[in-house]
């Protein structure tokens, strides 16, 4: 089963870090956040990926072209030949598809249709991590028989809380992982028929296609109560890096 990862956005809210690399290539713990996302799926046995590239697609392509060599010991001889010694291996098959600079999220998915017409596929964003049980998610999708399943998450609360004793503050509470309400956390499972809900490059996946699927009763929600964290701002980058540095890495399921 193929896993589509949307990795073509500009990442404008991380402009100071994305002038030269796309947002999915911003590093956490010395590896791009995209690598972390792929490791989540690969740990569950889903190791064929279709990357929808756009802004600075060359950076992503170069990373994977050099991936094995950069993670291995090398011997370089005088004639320029390179011998690669055993290093870290990830048995991944990766399709790198340039889906355009300005193409919207839905349009990027539509452009991947030649890779996706035959069977159920996964879809997620290249800039958010979670300790989602991907196999359980797939089983949930199959049991409901709908065209699409979205993983619903509760966003992390940004602020600590106050506990009152009458008009007095009794204590402060730490920021909870679970915020209020449910939102789209990515980590979709989709049937090929969803491609027919996307109308051209300007289609935004999170708007008309998903809204239409919902109206028609074809969008199931898999509720994930565990860890989920997007990487939208510099604050998010610092949070994820601090968790990695502390060895407290909830999304490291591999």
């Amino acid at each position: 089963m193929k896993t589509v990862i949307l990795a073509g956005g500009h990442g404008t809210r991380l402009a100071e870090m994305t002038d030269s690399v796309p947002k999915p290539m911003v590093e956490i713990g010395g590896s791009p956040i995209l690598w972390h996302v792929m490791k989540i799926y690969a740990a569950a046995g889903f190791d064929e990926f279709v990357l929808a590239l756009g802004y600075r697609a060359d950076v992503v392509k170069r990373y994977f072209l050099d991936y094995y060599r950069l993670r291995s010991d090398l011997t370089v001889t005088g004639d320029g030949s390179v011998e690669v010694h055993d290093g870290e291996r990830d048995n991944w098959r990766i399709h790198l598809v340039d889906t355009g600079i300005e193409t919207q999220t839905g349009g990027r998915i539509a452009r991947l249709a030649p890779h996706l017409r035959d069977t159920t596929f996964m879809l997620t964003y290249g800039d958010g991590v979670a300790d989602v049980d991907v196999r359980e998610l797939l089983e949930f999708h199959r049991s409901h028989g709908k065209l699409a399943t979205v993983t619903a998450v509760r966003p992390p609360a940004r602020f600590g809380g106050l506990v009152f004793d009458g008009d007095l503050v009794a204590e402060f509470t730490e920021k909870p992982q679970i915020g209020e309400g449910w939102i789209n956390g990515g980590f979709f499972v989709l049937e090929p028929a969803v491609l027919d809900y996307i109308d051209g490059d300007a289609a935004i996946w999170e708007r008309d296609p998903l809204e239409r699927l919902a109206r028609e009763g074809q969008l199931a929600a898999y509720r994930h109560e565990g860890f989920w964290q997007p990487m939208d701002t510099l604050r998010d980058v610092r949070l994820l890096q601090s968790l990695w540095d502390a060895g407290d890495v909830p999304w490291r399921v591999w």
Side-chain angles (χ1 to χ4, degrees), residues 218-235:
Q218 288 294 334
L219 180 61
Y222 173 80
R223 293 174 177 83
H224 175 61
E225 297 276 7
F227 178 86
W228 174 83
Q229 178 64 52
M231 193 187 71
D232 292 329
T233 66
L234 184 58
R235 174 186 171 276

Side-chain angles (χ1 to χ4, degrees), residues 4-253:
V4 173
I5 302 180
L6 299 174
H10 289 266
T12 53
R13 283 185 287 179
L14 283 175
E16 60 192 272
M17 306 184 76
T18 56
D19 284 341
S20 58
V21 300
K23 185 165 69 163
M25 295 304 290
V26 172
E27 294 187 354
I28 300 297
S31 295
I33 188 71
L34 174 61
W35 175 88
H36 293 259
V37 175
M38 294 171 72
K39 292 287 278 188
I40 292 169
Y41 281 94
F46 302 100
D47 53 14
E48 183 170 4
F49 300 95
V50 186
L51 305 187
L53 309 180
Y55 172 66
R56 294 308 310 267
D58 59 306
V59 175
V60 184
K61 291 178 179 179
R62 191 173 299 114
Y63 175 78
F64 286 107
L65 283 170
D66 295 336
Y67 181 77
Y68 177 49
R69 289 187 175 188
L70 292 177
R71 291 173 177 266
S72 304
D73 294 331
L74 307 174
T75 298
V76 183
T77 60
D79 63 1
S81 62
V82 178
E83 181 182 355
V84 181
H85 306 287
D86 286 342
E88 181 178 341
R89 292 176 180 265
D90 287 300
N91 188 30
W92 297 346
R93 179 176 174 82
I94 308 170
H95 308 274
L96 300 147
V97 184
D98 194 334
T99 55
I101 298 294
E102 302 299 333
T103 309
Q104 296 292 336
T105 50
R108 294 191 191 283
I109 299 167
R111 287 198 180 201
L112 300 178
H115 294 275
L116 308 174
R117 281 291 184 191
D118 295 335
T119 187
T120 305
F121 63 95
M122 306 279 195
L123 169 73
T124 196
Y125 304 102
D127 57 2
V129 290
D131 57 353
V132 173
D133 185 330
V134 182
R135 286 197 169 277
E136 183 178 284
L137 167 63
L138 177 59
E139 291 173 5
F140 176 92
H141 172 77
R142 286 175 169 164
S143 70
H144 285 72
K146 303 300 182 182
L147 294 183
T149 296
V150 59
T151 297
V153 300
R154 295 184 189 271
R158 291 188 58 194
F159 307 102
L162 300 177
V163 177
F164 297 109
D165 179 6
D167 290 333
L168 302 180
V169 175
E171 61 179 304
F172 290 86
T173 60
E174 294 295 323
K175 293 181 289 186
Q177 164 60 31
I178 304 302
E180 295 297 326
W182 293 93
I183 64 171
N184 166 17
F187 296 93
F188 297 89
V189 186
L190 305 172
E191 298 302 322
V194 302
L195 297 169
D196 298 328
Y197 287 70
I198 302 172
D199 185 19
D201 284 354
I204 299 174
W205 169 244
E206 299 79 10
R207 294 184 185 171
D208 187 62
L210 278 186
E211 290 170 359
R212 183 180 161 198
L213 285 163
R215 287 196 303 270
E216 296 180 5
Q218 288 294 334
L219 180 61
Y222 173 80
R223 293 174 177 83
H224 175 61
E225 297 276 7
F227 178 86
W228 174 83
Q229 178 64 52
M231 193 187 71
D232 292 329
T233 66
L234 184 58
R235 174 186 171 276
D236 295 332
V237 176
R238 290 171 174 163
L239 170 62
L240 290 168
Q241 184 62 54
S242 68
L243 292 173
W244 186 272
D245 291 342
D248 177 18
V249 190
W251 70 92
R252 187 162 57 187
V253 296

